[in-house]
Amino acid sequence: MYGMPGKANPASDAADTFASPEPPRPVAASRPAAANAGARCANCMMRHICMAASLEADDVEQLDRVMQGWRTVRQGEKLFRAGDPFRSLYAVRAGSFKTVVTSERGKEHISGFYMAGDAIGMDGICEETHTSDAIALEDSVVCVIPYHLLEALCRELKPLQRQFHKMLSAEIVREANQMMLLGNMSAEQRVATFLLSISARHRERGYSATSFVLRMTREDIGSYLGVTLETVSRTLSKFQQEGLLAVQGKSLDLLNLDALDAR
């Protein structure tokens, strides 16, 4: 999910290139949470930005009990498809995804990118049917949370309810920002805003905000930003020539965050 980033401070960032955490070994979804100790929210390094944020230890235990284990999704595989019945939300434990919406004319559009700590599947809440395909950009692991159990637990645990509402609100803000990005910004501003958004999200997760790997293709970025693949490549090359960033394949180093923010 993407929001409009604020200014960043590159001096505080690590220099190592970002790589997704090693996906944990999957556990069968049918196993009870008590036996599935490795999948517990308390052991997840994304806990501070996911469903368990702000929960006390006892409340985290209750959330663990409604979680239905892990699911591994290999690169290129679909977590769910448009038209599938909505039954669960999925918290990304490791890896990354893109969501793809297909128009009535058959044209595909990237509607979002998700990384560890994000929740996928909220598109299905309204009509109880998913409206997009969720495709793994790399080998990924998600925690499966049956929605009817989560909904019931939210009625018992107000902190969990507040956190879930925050996540729903973040989706609304992301979509509003996406509309502004597509409607009011030039191609260069769209690319710059996109890179700064990824930077801010990496910082939030404790990774380097200036050195990371873009898991999506340039074509995916273009689809998300409403520009062509050639425009994305040309803009990245221009930013590199201006000393704003260094790019090699999918590896990216942001060299001047303030200048990108001023585009």
Side-chain angles (χ1 to χ4, degrees):
M1 296 178 287
Y2 287 90
M4 300 294 287
K7 291 184 180 295
N9 177 15
S12 65
D13 299 323
D16 293 337
T17 300
F18 166 71
S20 295
E22 184 69 20
R25 188 175 181 179
V27 180
S30 59
R31 292 182 63 185
N36 192 4
R40 295 166 67 90
C41 292
N43 299 333
C44 180
M45 63 183 180
M46 292 295 122
R47 171 184 168 181
H48 66 291
I49 58 175
C50 198
M51 293 283 183
S54 302
L55 294 185
E56 299 294 336
D58 290 345
D59 295 341
V60 173
E61 288 287 341
Q62 293 190 61
L63 180 58
D64 281 335
R65 285 195 286 272
V66 306
M67 189 175 67
Q68 204 175 58
W70 301 345
R71 178 175 168 186
T72 298
V73 188
R74 299 301 179 190
Q75 183 178 11
E77 291 182 350
K78 293 181 179 180
L79 176 61
F80 54 78
R81 294 174 171 82
D84 284 351
F86 168 70
R87 296 189 179 94
S88 301
L89 292 177
Y90 305 93
V92 183
R93 191 176 180 91
S96 55
F97 290 81
K98 64 180 178 181
T99 49
V100 182
V101 177
T102 304
S103 70
E104 293 181 356
R105 296 184 178 182
K107 184 176 181 179
E108 294 185 346
H109 172 72
I110 306 297
S111 58
F113 296 108
Y114 299 80
M115 58 170 50
D118 290 333
I120 312 180
M122 293 183 183
D123 64 316
I125 294 176
C126 179
E127 299 293 336
E128 299 185 350
T129 301
H130 289 291
T131 61
S132 62
D133 298 338
I135 304 171
L137 293 170
E138 57 188 311
D139 289 352
S140 303
V141 177
V142 297
C143 298
V144 181
I145 308 171
Y147 184 67
H148 71 285
L149 297 179
L150 176 65
E151 196 174 26
L153 189 58
C154 281
R155 289 194 289 268
E156 296 181 26
L157 302 179
K158 294 304 179 182
L160 177 61
Q161 185 181 67
R162 285 194 295 270
Q163 176 63 14
F164 184 56
H165 287 167
K166 285 182 180 180
M167 296 175 79
L168 288 172
S169 177
E171 275 287 273
I172 296 172
V173 171
R174 180 188 70 82
E175 292 186 4
N177 286 337
Q178 178 72 357
M179 293 292 292
M180 181 178 68
L181 183 149
L182 294 177
N184 300 321
M185 294 185 180
S186 68
E188 287 189 8
Q189 289 172 329
R190 295 180 194 188
V191 174
T193 300
F194 175 75
L195 295 177
L196 289 170
S197 181
I198 293 181
S199 171
R201 295 174 70 198
H202 283 179
R203 180 190 299 277
E204 184 182 23
R205 288 156 174 77
Y207 303 133
S208 171
T210 58
S211 188
F212 46 81
V213 173
L214 293 172
R215 300 299 179 184
M216 66 291 294
T217 66
R218 284 166 173 68
E219 185 176 10
D220 286 343
I221 296 172
S223 175
Y224 180 73
L225 298 179
V227 299
T228 64
L229 162 65
E230 292 76 17
T231 297
V232 174
S233 297
R234 184 168 59 249
T235 301
L236 290 175
S237 295
K238 181 179 180 181
F239 287 170
Q240 182 164 240
Q241 292 170 1
E242 294 175 354
L244 304 185
L245 54 81
V247 59
Q248 184 174 5
K250 289 190 174 184
S251 297
L252 197 70
D253 291 291
L254 302 183
L255 305 177
N256 194 331
L257 295 176
D258 288 339
L260 277 175
D261 200 17
R263 300 303 297 192

